Amino acid sequence: MKALVAVKRVVDYNVKVRVKNDGTGVDIANVKMSMNPFDEIAVEEAVRLKEKGVVTEIIAVSCGDTKCQETLRTAMAIGADRGILVETDAELQPLAVAKLLKALVDKEQPQLIILGKQAIDDDANQTGQMLAALADLPQATFASKVEVEGDKANVTREVDGGLETISISLPAVITTDLRLNEPRYVTLPNIMKAKKKQLDVIKPDELGVDVAPRLKTLKVAEPPKRGAGIKVPDVATLVDKLRNEAKVI
């Protein structure tokens, strides 16, 4: 079974992002970048399935500029067998990424496509669902447990009311949630091995995909700062303020 895993290069989750002075976006100059945490979970899950003998080959895919090769090398250090970079300097929005991945799915014919449920930069949570629709494949989103048996996969997913377990036919698209697994620590020997693994670079035109943006960001602004709290002398004062000032009761 072949598995295709999509990974995205984003601002590291430990970095406090800053909005540009002109409000056009987030300042990423000289900022540490890393693999999207949910995508790291997706790679780890694919590797664990390979260790169980379910998956035979893992292909890591990233879309973006040349620097995304670093993200692919990280995925290969975790355990992916080879990487594909769809290289473009264009601003990639979820629909464009879904179309690129769909073209690669048609080309590679994987039985399992695993993505992080969302990227921590735009929080769109759209690519996996769009890919499933474009490729006409079953989907299981927000997966917290994945069990593959033959041509079926049982996926436990997180929903508002708790957990839901569904059975889907393969090939299928699965998006990973935070509690699916804990990615392994990447060791130096594996980092060195990853440098020798195959990494193919292709252009969107070669896949016949138009990646022109269809959405326009009007403004990016930081959230308002929270006001200082106050102490009240008794419960009656608290209730009065909640009712008359905050108007929440």
Side-chain angles (χ1 to χ4, degrees), residues 65-233:
D65 59 23
T66 306
K67 294 178 181 178
C68 292
Q69 291 190 27
E70 300 171 9
T71 307
L72 287 171
R73 293 295 179 193
T74 301
M76 289 188 279
I78 295 173
D81 297 292
R82 58 187 173 98
I84 300 174
L85 171 61
V86 183
E87 188 176 22
T88 175
D89 292 325
E91 176 196 350
L92 291 175
Q93 296 174 348
L95 180 59
V97 176
K99 288 181 177 180
L100 292 171
L101 293 176
K102 196 266 182 182
L104 290 173
V105 166
D106 291 342
K107 180 180 178 182
E108 296 288 345
Q109 293 294 306
Q111 284 71 50
L112 199 57
I113 304 101
I114 312 178
L115 306 86
K117 71 170 184 178
Q118 65 193 70
I120 62 172
D121 53 0
D122 57 17
D123 278 332
N125 181 22
Q126 296 174 338
T127 305
Q129 293 90 326
M130 288 177 170
L131 172 59
L134 291 171
D136 194 24
L137 293 175
Q139 62 176 303
T141 55
F142 315 135
S144 60
K145 185 178 181 181
V146 177
E147 295 177 324
V148 179
E149 299 175 358
D151 61 348
K152 299 278 188 181
N154 294 324
V155 179
T156 302
R157 55 191 304 270
E158 298 188 10
V159 295
D160 290 342
L163 299 176
E164 175 187 62
T165 301
I166 61 174
S167 176
I168 55 175
S169 301
L170 301 180
V173 176
I174 296 175
T175 69
T176 61
D177 213 328
L178 193 63
R179 280 160 286 278
L180 178 58
N181 61 54
E182 184 175 342
R184 68 195 64 192
Y185 178 77
V186 180
T187 62
L188 182 59
N190 286 337
I191 292 174
M192 301 306 294
K193 291 177 183 177
K195 292 181 178 181
K196 298 179 181 179
K197 291 184 178 180
Q198 179 183 346
L199 198 162
D200 300 320
V201 179
I202 58 178
K203 301 289 185 181
D205 293 344
E206 298 176 49
L207 297 173
V209 177
D210 177 16
V211 296
R214 287 168 168 75
L215 303 174
K216 181 180 179 181
T217 301
L218 301 180
K219 183 181 180 182
V220 176
E222 292 188 8
K225 293 183 179 179
R226 295 181 62 181
I230 62 171
K231 291 183 178 180
V232 294

